[in-house]
Each structure stands twice: as structure tokens, then as C-alpha cells.
Amino acid sequence: MQTRLTIKQLINNTANQMLITNIKGLVGVHPKDKLLLRGSEMNNLPILENAWLLIEDGLIKDFGEMSEIPTQILNLSSQISVKGKFVFPSWCDSHTHIVFAASREEEFTMKIQGKTYEEIAAAGGGILNSADKLQHVSENELFESASIRLKNMILQGTGAVEIKSGYGLTVQSEIKMLRVIQRLKANFPIPIKATFLAAHAYPKEFKDNHQGYVNLIIHEMLPQIAEEKLADYIDVFCEKGFFSVEETDQILKAGAKFGLKAKIHANQLSASGAVEVGVKNYAVSVDHLEETNQHTINSLKTSNTIATLLPSCSFYLGIPFADAKGLITENVPVALASDYNPGSTPSGNMNFVVSLGCIKLKMQPEQAINAATLNGAAAMEISSEYGSISIGKKANLFITKPMPSMAYLPYSFGETQVETIILNGEIYNG
């Protein structure tokens, strides 16, 4: 139950307050102590109809039905009437790669011609292509281009984000990327989590010396990253042709010694054992999961690890979509994220991700929205403050255009329904 406040508590003349009234539907009104949704819990997306919401000093102060709104707060000067519109908690995008040097549209035609992910990588494309470009770009240039992407994501409703390194692949360039993410944290009004992903691919010079590169990550990169406090998590692309289960285990254990929790790329191209090694290392999330089997699901259902699905990657690459329904049926917590990157998902539009969750993963709208809000926040360990409409949580929200129902948002893919962004209780214009 949400705690109701007295009139005296509601009205604070010295506070920065905003009142939103005539809300057609206040979406995601979960109890504050509900930090993660599993299985059938994901079917429940509480919506308060004909509602009001009071924000104070950047936090959700209180809310309720318009029929019961205290008349005293109707006199607040900062007030928005949103008749016919819905208010959602901001999207929480827990898997992105938005710090990169340049786009890779030259690979776009290769995909159209039928080249596989592995064939493009073998031809000099893919991750190594981005890594090569990043070597020649300054930190300032990276910051400026990433800032543009992040602003666009925020204007599409994203109010929390995780950003990975992984296009550096050298000590200097990985540190450069993480410093850019640190600057983004300092300059944007949303929570940003940083993930160290040097184990994204093997640089050409280590093609035949995998352990040499693993040693570089463990003995040179990790100590400097820890000293400068540049990362929250450590990630590995555990896949055939990239990092083996044994190498992944070695890197994750080394990261743990420096206080970095695991969030790994798992089962994108094959059921490789990546999920199992992630669970073994207490991963906060295992991401992708386009390929799963019963053993994979069994390892997740008995763990606290979140399955983060990236349907826009499957859409763009033409690879299988993850088995969201199977995971949810087996009581696995599922999150949705964009995977925004220059090669396999050149979009950070979480509205489209939610639509794909419904259209291609066969999730119900309630499940997809929960996966992109509260469970996305949980995959960044911030669900105590973000991801739902709860008293005391941060007022990171978006207001839609007039809509007939909540389900209209994923239904109307390709046409944005986001009209107004509120971050920390203030309207954000970019």
C-alpha cells in the first residue's frame, strides 16, 4: 500500500512542487517495495484511472483519483492538466553501446545481401571495425556524439540507461570510453551505469594469443579502471568465435575482485553455456538469449539473474527472437533493452523495443511495459528509486499524447506517443 499524506504534508510552500491532473491512466503504480517482477507477476501492470500526481523536490510525493483530490492542492501554481493522456514511468534501458566513433551503414548492404554476423566480422566489419574507428577519435568527439544520441533517447522516454565500453580493445581506448561515460554521468539528469566490456572481441594482434589479451584485461585494464572508479559492471561477449566459457569465467572472477558485478552477453548466436557461467558468477543479468534450451532456463529459474532481451537486435540482424514467453512461464524475471549500437541495433527507441516485445516476442503489453520499466531498473540495480510510480521514487516520467488505452502505445509502432518528458520533477526539453 502507498502511504497517504495529510494536507499539511502535501502542501509545502518552500518546496519545488508540480501537480499533474486529469491523468487518463497513471501506469505502473507498483508498491514501492516491489523491486522485481517474476513470472505471472509481470502480467500485472497497475493503472490508476482519472488520476492526479504530485511531485515535490524531484520525487513522487503522492497521487490518487481526481474524485478524491484535496481541493487545497488545486491552487498550486505549477500545474499541468493532461486530460486524455497517460503518465508512464520512464523507460529504463539496461543495455546500450552508445559511445562509438562512427556509424556502420557500410555493413547494412552486406546484411541485406545475406551476409551473416560472423561473415561480416571475418571481412573486417563488426566490432573490430568500430574499434579501429575509435582509435582515431578524441574523448571530446566521443562525448559530443554520444551526448546527441543520449538526448534523443531521453526525448523518446528513456529516463535511466546503462552504457558499455568495448569498442576500444586497448588499455588507452577502453579507458577513454569509460571516461566519456563518466562525463555523461556528470552532465545528464538521469542515472547512468557504466559497464567495462573490453572482452567484446579479440584485437587482431591477439588473434592467436587469447590468454595474452585476457591477461591485458585482468592485469592492466582492471586495476586502472578500479583506481579511477570508472565502471559499475563487467561484461564479456561469451560466444563461439569470441570468448569461451572458461575465458568468461576467468574474466568475471577477476572483475569481482575489483568489485565489478557481472552483466554478460549470452546465447546470442548459440546456446554456448554463457548463461550458466553468468549465473555461476552471480550475474545481475544475462543479455540477448536469442538461443536457449531447457538447461538454460533451469539455470535461470533457480537464480536471481535477470534475462534481458534485445528484440531490436533480432529485428535488425534477422536472427531468432528470444523466447520471452517460455522464460516468463518458467518464472524467470525478464527485462527489455535497446542494445543501441552502430552495428546490430542502430536505434535507442525503447517505444519500438516495447512494440517488438509484443509483436515478435508475443509478450502482452503489460509484460512488455513492466520489462522495460521496473525490471529494466532492476537490471541496473536502481529499482528502489526508478521504474514505477511509487511514493518516494524519483519523478522520472513521460506524458503521452491523447491515447484510447495503455496498449495503444506498443500498438502504434513507428509513431511516437511520447509528448512530455519529466526528469527529477522538471520538464526536460533537451
Side-chain angles (χ1 to χ4, degrees):
M1 290 289 294
Q2 305 283 347
T3 304
R4 299 275 76 85
L5 303 176
T6 66
I7 296 300
K8 185 176 181 180
Q9 290 171 317
L10 282 173
I11 301 175
N12 185 345
N13 293 327
T14 64
N16 179 21
Q17 293 186 314
M18 177 190 295
L19 177 64
I20 306 174
T21 60
N22 300 306
I23 303 167
K24 181 170 184 175
L26 188 58
V27 179
V29 187
H30 290 288
K32 192 180 181 185
D33 60 359
K34 179 55 69 175
L35 304 181
L36 179 67
L37 301 168
R38 285 180 172 271
S40 60
E41 292 180 325
M42 294 187 65
N43 302 333
N44 181 31
L45 182 67
I47 300 175
L48 188 63
E49 297 180 352
N50 193 26
W52 58 272
L53 175 74
L54 180 64
I55 298 168
E56 179 178 296
D57 292 334
L59 303 178
I60 296 171
K61 182 75 170 178
D62 205 356
F63 54 84
E65 296 179 357
M66 285 299 298
S67 60
E68 299 177 353
I69 187 171
T71 56
Q72 292 88 338
I73 69 172
L74 287 171
N75 296 321
L76 289 176
S77 57
S78 181
Q79 187 174 149
I80 306 173
S81 177
V82 295
K83 192 171 184 178
K85 304 174 183 179
F86 287 74
V87 173
F88 283 72
S90 294
W91 305 127
C92 296
D93 190 350
S94 62
H95 183 126
T96 81
H97 306 253
I98 65 169
V99 177
F100 55 85
S103 57
R104 285 173 15 208
E105 66 275 10
E106 67 273 18
E107 297 174 17
F108 185 55
T109 54
M110 296 174 71
K111 293 182 178 73
I112 295 170
Q113 291 165 358
K115 300 291 184 182
T116 66
Y117 189 91
E118 297 94 328
E119 288 171 334
I120 291 171
I127 295 164
L128 294 182
N129 185 4
S130 283
D132 181 63
K133 291 177 178 178
L134 192 131
Q135 311 294 326
H136 306 99
V137 175
S138 71
E139 183 179 312
N140 285 338
E141 290 172 309
L142 284 175
F143 174 75
E144 291 301 324
S145 63
S147 293
I148 293 170
R149 296 178 197 112
L150 187 53
K151 284 178 184 177
N152 287 335
M153 293 169 69
I154 290 172
L155 291 172
Q156 292 170 334
T158 294
V161 68
E162 178 260 19
I163 308 172
K164 303 178 188 294
S165 68
Y167 294 132
L169 308 186
T170 66
V171 176
Q172 181 181 6
S173 291
E174 284 292 312
I175 297 297
K176 178 169 64 174
M177 290 188 73
L178 290 168
R179 285 175 178 161
V180 168
I181 299 171
Q182 190 175 57
R183 287 177 63 182
L184 293 171
K185 285 185 180 186
N187 285 275
F188 280 83
I190 66 170
I192 297 173
K193 292 285 188 172
T195 298
F196 171 50
L197 178 59
H200 202 190
Y202 282 100
K204 294 175 184 177
E205 58 269 33
F206 288 98
K207 182 180 179 181
D208 299 315
N209 182 17
H210 287 191
Q211 190 58 48
Y213 186 58
V214 171
N215 289 341
L216 184 71
I217 292 171
I218 293 173
H219 300 300
E220 294 192 41
M221 296 187 193
L222 272 171
Q224 187 171 345
I225 288 163
E227 183 180 353
E228 295 189 37
K229 299 180 180 179
L230 292 174
D232 303 293
Y233 302 107
I234 188 166
D235 197 342
V236 180
F237 186 12
C238 184
E239 187 56 75
K240 292 176 182 177
F242 293 87
F243 290 80
S244 70
V245 168
E246 294 75 22
E247 290 161 348
T248 299
D249 188 55
Q250 187 181 0
I251 293 167
L252 295 183
K253 282 181 166 56
K257 290 179 181 178
F258 288 97
L260 302 183
K261 296 181 181 180
K263 282 174 64 71
I264 73 168
H265 285 60
N267 291 39
Q268 180 177 1
L269 306 174
S270 64
S272 62
V275 168
E276 291 82 350
V277 75
V279 170
K280 174 185 171 184
N281 283 277
Y282 308 103
V284 174
S285 69
V286 287
D287 303 11
H288 275 289
L289 276 62
E290 287 87 351
E291 300 286 347
T292 55
N293 53 33
Q294 193 57 49
H295 189 271
T296 298
I297 293 174
N298 289 343
S299 68
L300 282 169
K301 66 190 287 188
T302 57
S303 76
N304 293 317
T305 299
I306 298 167
T308 298
L309 311 183
L310 312 171
S312 50
C313 176
S314 296
F315 172 82
Y316 190 77
L317 292 180
I319 61 177
F321 287 88
D323 182 16
K325 291 181 68 175
L327 290 163
I328 292 171
T329 299
E330 294 281 4
N331 210 40
V332 175
V334 171
L336 290 175
S338 73
D339 193 25
Y340 190 178
N341 73 78
S344 63
T345 321
S347 169
N349 188 341
M350 283 293 289
N351 303 283
F352 183 56
V353 171
V354 171
S355 293
L356 286 176
C358 297
I359 297 165
K360 292 297 186 180
L361 303 187
K362 305 304 179 185
M363 301 171 78
Q364 292 298 312
E366 294 84 356
Q367 295 172 334
I369 291 165
N370 278 327
T373 53
L374 189 59
N375 279 8
M380 293 183 277
E381 301 182 292
I382 57 172
S383 57
S384 62
E385 294 186 278
Y386 300 90
S388 65
I389 305 295
S390 304
I391 293 172
K393 283 196 172 186
K394 296 284 188 181
N396 279 22
L397 320 162
F398 64 82
I399 302 170
T400 70
K401 299 173 182 177
M403 299 195 308
S405 69
M406 171 275 298
Y408 189 79
L409 189 149
Y411 159 83
S412 60
F413 80 96
E415 179 183 349
T416 182
Q417 300 304 326
V418 177
E419 185 174 78
T420 304
I421 304 298
I422 296 176
L423 298 179
N424 304 308
E426 298 182 358
I427 294 175
Y428 178 84
N429 295 309

